[in-house]
């Protein structure tokens, strides 16, 4: 399978339409992650409990009124490890799984990444109890994680202490109430954080994208990357062991905040550099040249469209990490779509 190719039927399974369109129209957005032998080996060592589901009482008490699904599905072990590898979590990151079920992804993060804290929030009392059981087994193998690095909270994910975390994964199942749930969640994530909390955060949605157009948080949330997984021999893989939907696609969004009155020049410079690096990587995946000069003027340059004519270029100021960098690349993409070129 070609790295960027998705069959029409595969695209049909991706919601909402906005996410489907992005996969087709944004060069380099989709990254295929190959499950390596090291991923398989790491997955085989994870603590993972398979028993326990949401009970009928759980559904009636906590899910039915909001029309949410109480079904329990967790990423397959090897996909979990490969995803965490792709996310490249840093020691300063704090990871939160929103809808953590039996806790498998949280414990995979604790076992395979250096992030400072790995936590999960789950509404189902039955699944939360299994996660606590799995946590105890994990701590037996990794005593250093018994001091608070790993934690599970039983709560509605919208009531979780979101400001304390920098990287989120959310895999709620599609249901009549799931779109409203995600709208409320992202609305909370997009609010300016308290002083001292992460200013820029990442949200990965499992198997679905976000509807950003027209939302109150549209200017604060940007789709930066999508992931699909394949075996070493190139075969596309589902996200869940018991599911046959191919390929399973995850979407990564960056949620950023900028306060015009903020006089922290160092933080602003770091944000701008991070944005420049992010867009440079996005362009690299698409074969686009990308530079930022001493005046922080961003330039995107692509080979001639269709192998002929002039190179397609776009520039934009980088003073605003989101606006400048995004404007440069979006202008380039618009030129590509229209078939025009510029000097």
């Amino acid at each position: 399978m070609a790295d960027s190719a998705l069959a029409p039927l595969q695209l049909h399974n991706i919601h909402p339409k906005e996410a489907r369109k992005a996969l087709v129209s944004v060069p380099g957005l989709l990254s295929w992650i190959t499950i390596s032998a090291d991923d398989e080996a790491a997955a085989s060592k994870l603590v993972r409990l398979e028993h326990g589901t949401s009970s009928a009482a759980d559904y009636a008490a906590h899910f039915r009124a909001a029309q949410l699904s109480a079904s329990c599905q967790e990423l397959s072990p090897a996909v979990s490890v490969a995803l965490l590898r792709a996310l490249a979590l840093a020691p300063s990151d704090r990871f939160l799984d929103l809808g953590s079920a039996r806790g498998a992804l949280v414990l995979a993060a604790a076992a395979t990444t250096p992030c400072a804290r790995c936590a999960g929030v789950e509404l189902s009392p039955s699944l939360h109890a299994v996660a606590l059981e799995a946590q105890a087994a994990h701590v037996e193998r990794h005593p250093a994680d018994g001091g608070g690095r790993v934690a599970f909270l039983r709560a509605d994910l919208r009531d979780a202490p979101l400001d304390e975390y920098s990287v989120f994964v959310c895999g709620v199942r599609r249901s009549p109430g799931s779109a409203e749930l995600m709208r409320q969640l992202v609305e909370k994530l997009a609010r300016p954080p308290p002083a001292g909390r992460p200013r820029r955060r990442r949200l990965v949605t499992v198997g679905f994208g976000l509807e950003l157009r027209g939302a109150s948080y549209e200017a604060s949330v940007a789709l930066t990357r999508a992931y699909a997984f394949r075996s070493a021999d190139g075969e596309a893989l589902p996200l869940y062991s018991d599911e046959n939907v191919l390929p399973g696609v995850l979407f990564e969004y960056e949620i950023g905040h900028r306060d015009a009155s903020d006089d922290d020049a160092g933080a602003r410079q770091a944000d701008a550099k991070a944005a420049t690096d992010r867009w440079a990587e996005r362009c690299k995946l698409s074969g686009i040249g990308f530079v930022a000069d001493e005046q922080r003027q961003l330039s995107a340059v692509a080979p001639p469209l269709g192998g002929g004519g002039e190179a397609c270029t776009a520039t934009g100021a980088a003073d605003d990490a989101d606006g400048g960098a995004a404007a440069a690349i979006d202008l380039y993409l618009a030129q590509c779509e229209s078939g025009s070129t510029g000097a």
Side-chain angles (χ1 to χ4, degrees):
M1 177 180 291
D3 279 4
S4 59
L6 288 177
L9 181 59
Q10 294 169 340
L11 285 169
H12 178 73
N13 291 323
I14 296 168
H15 300 276
K17 181 180 179 181
E18 184 175 325
R20 237 175 9 250
K21 182 178 179 181
L23 287 173
V24 174
S25 62
V26 180
L29 179 66
L30 180 64
S31 295
W32 283 90
I33 309 300
T34 299
I35 305 294
S36 68
D38 288 343
D39 294 331
E40 296 281 7
S44 70
K45 300 176 183 178
L46 298 176
V47 171
R48 186 181 181 91
L49 301 184
E50 301 290 349
H51 65 273
T53 60
S54 291
S55 67
D58 287 353
Y59 174 74
H62 303 289
F63 296 87
R64 183 165 58 195
Q67 296 185 294
L68 298 174
S69 170
S71 64
C72 173
Q73 283 188 305
E74 294 183 299
L75 295 175
S76 66
V79 166
S80 295
V81 173
L83 169 63
L84 293 165
R85 170 169 57 83
L87 291 178
L89 299 179
S92 59
D93 281 322
R94 298 170 66 86
F95 174 84
L96 181 62
D97 187 3
L98 298 162
S100 51
R102 304 183 190 98
L105 184 61
V106 174
L107 298 180
T112 65
T113 78
C115 61
R117 185 172 173 81
C118 307
V121 56
E122 172 57 49
L123 186 56
S124 165
S126 300
L127 293 176
H128 176 65
V130 178
L132 293 179
E133 183 183 347
Q135 179 185 4
H138 172 85
V139 170
E140 285 187 7
R141 297 187 189 180
H142 307 276
D145 286 344
R149 180 173 179 248
V150 178
F152 290 99
L153 172 69
R154 199 205 72 76
D156 186 307
L157 58 83
R158 291 164 292 191
D159 297 327
L162 303 175
D163 290 335
E164 297 180 9
Y165 296 89
S166 58
V167 181
F168 305 85
V169 172
C170 185
V172 297
R173 305 299 295 164
R174 194 176 179 208
S175 66
S178 59
E180 177 61 15
L181 172 73
M182 293 307 300
R183 185 193 68 77
Q184 293 177 19
L185 171 67
V186 179
E187 194 171 67
K188 287 194 171 186
L189 286 172
R191 293 172 183 170
R197 300 300 187 184
R199 293 158 51 89
R200 312 189 73 77
R201 295 180 282 183
R202 301 156 70 191
L203 170 64
V204 177
T205 55
V206 181
F208 65 93
L210 298 177
E211 195 72 66
L212 300 180
R213 189 179 301 278
S216 61
Y217 42 77
E218 181 178 5
S220 301
V221 182
L223 174 60
T224 58
R225 198 173 181 188
Y227 305 90
F229 298 85
R230 61 187 174 191
S231 63
D233 59 6
E235 180 182 358
L237 298 173
L239 299 177
Y240 304 103
S241 301
D242 59 348
E243 186 175 72
N244 294 318
V245 176
L246 294 172
V249 178
L250 297 88
F251 295 87
E252 181 176 342
Y253 295 85
E254 182 172 287
I255 302 174
H257 309 277
R258 181 162 301 283
D259 185 348
S261 64
D262 189 350
D263 60 359
D264 186 351
R268 290 198 300 273
Q269 183 177 8
D271 284 348
K273 183 180 184 304
T276 300
D277 292 345
R278 182 181 72 251
W279 287 97
E281 178 64 20
R282 174 174 164 181
C283 290
K284 180 180 178 182
L285 292 170
S286 305
I288 306 170
F290 183 81
V291 296
D293 62 22
E294 293 180 357
Q295 286 72 46
R296 299 200 52 72
Q297 184 78 6
L298 303 174
S299 300
V301 183
L305 296 174
E310 299 179 2
C312 182
T313 65
T315 61
D319 293 335
D320 180 330
D322 286 321
I329 307 307
D330 287 346
L331 175 59
Y332 160 72
L333 293 173
Q335 290 173 329
C336 284
E337 290 175 2
S338 66
S340 62
T341 59

